[in-house]
Amino acid sequence: MMMAGLRERKKEQTRRRIAEVALRLFDERGYDAVTVNEVAEAAGVAKVTLFAYFPSKDSLVLDGVKEDTAAIVAGRGDRPPLQALREHYRLMGRQDQGEMDVEGLLTRIRVISSSPALLAGVQQAHMSQREELACALAEALPERGLAPRLMAAQITAAVTTLQEAFFHRLATGVPLEEAGRLLGDEVELAFDLLEYGFSMLKGEMS
């Protein structure tokens, strides 16, 4: 067990090192100007090793961009779907300063913002996330027809807006603790509005 745990830690360290080196090079020289071979060489790994962790060049930047909101709904237990999602996003505002690499996050945002290909990748990830969430909501709720898709679209838009506001504050120098506190308040506001809107929908359908 100890050896297995050590191997997992080493794999995670290697993965993190590759991603950090890639972001640094992309930030310094531009995403399109850096090859996968250069990233592998700078990270001290073989190209085949890099691809074992990241199957494509864009995944070096976009890995983790897509959130599995559908899994949150599917694994909600006895909780209503919105409550499960609200509780998940509450944790964003409680992020310990020691657990978040703010500089790394801002570097990732700069790299994505400067590349049309990566921006398109983010859009595609959000579309996929929205579709999967709609399917999960359709299974979880009695509403049918277009309602689950509309609900998924509103939830995804609200979460994206929350994240963008949080990232903007960090980029403009707001301390992480303060940005997290504001995010926590806004998560509650966003989900209050979603709850209100969906309750109106249920009233019209009943």
Side-chain angles (χ1 to χ4, degrees):
M1 291 291 292
M2 289 182 61
M3 289 298 295
L6 180 61
R7 283 196 297 270
E8 288 304 312
R9 286 196 297 273
K10 287 185 175 180
K11 287 173 64 176
E12 181 57 32
Q13 289 170 357
T14 300
R15 180 184 183 85
R16 188 180 304 115
R17 183 175 74 253
I18 294 170
E20 289 173 350
V21 168
L23 283 173
R24 176 176 56 80
L25 292 176
F26 295 154
D27 192 38
E28 290 173 353
R29 295 166 48 194
Y31 175 75
D32 292 332
V34 179
T35 67
V36 171
N37 283 336
E38 289 173 319
V39 173
E41 182 178 354
V45 299
K47 184 177 179 180
V48 66
T49 300
L50 183 150
F51 280 127
Y53 289 96
F54 300 95
S56 61
K57 182 181 177 182
D58 63 357
S59 68
L60 286 161
V61 183
L62 300 182
D63 185 55
V65 165
K66 178 183 172 184
E67 295 191 72
D68 201 350
T69 49
I72 296 169
V73 171
R76 70 192 184 283
D78 295 332
R79 297 171 296 171
L82 270 184
Q83 181 183 339
L85 290 165
R86 183 197 290 262
E87 291 172 0
H88 172 78
Y89 285 105
R90 274 176 179 160
L91 298 178
M92 293 170 56
R94 298 173 184 170
Q95 181 82 318
D96 182 13
Q97 292 192 47
E99 296 177 0
M100 178 178 287
D101 177 10
V102 174
E103 287 305 315
L105 175 62
L106 295 179
T107 299
R108 183 189 299 265
I109 292 170
R110 283 197 303 271
V111 171
I112 292 173
S113 299
S114 64
S115 168
L118 291 175
L119 286 171
V122 170
Q123 285 292 103
Q124 184 60 45
H126 286 169
M127 289 176 60
S128 176
Q129 177 182 331
R130 186 176 69 238
E131 289 299 315
E132 291 172 9
L133 178 58
C135 291
L137 289 170
E139 293 182 3
L141 299 171
E143 288 84 357
R144 289 296 180 264
L146 195 59
R149 294 175 63 84
L150 290 170
M151 293 167 71
Q154 291 179 53
I155 292 167
T156 304
V159 168
T160 300
T161 301
L162 290 170
Q163 292 172 332
E164 288 174 348
F166 178 65
F167 297 155
H168 176 73
R169 289 188 181 109
L170 293 179
T172 55
V174 176
L176 177 57
E177 183 177 357
E178 175 66 8
R181 185 189 65 77
L182 292 169
L183 176 61
D185 292 341
E186 290 162 351
V187 165
E188 300 303 331
L189 172 62
F191 279 90
D192 284 347
L193 292 171
L194 288 168
E195 290 274 9
Y196 176 76
F198 295 164
S199 69
M200 295 292 288
L201 172 65
K202 290 178 182 178
E204 291 178 2
M205 295 182 66
S206 60

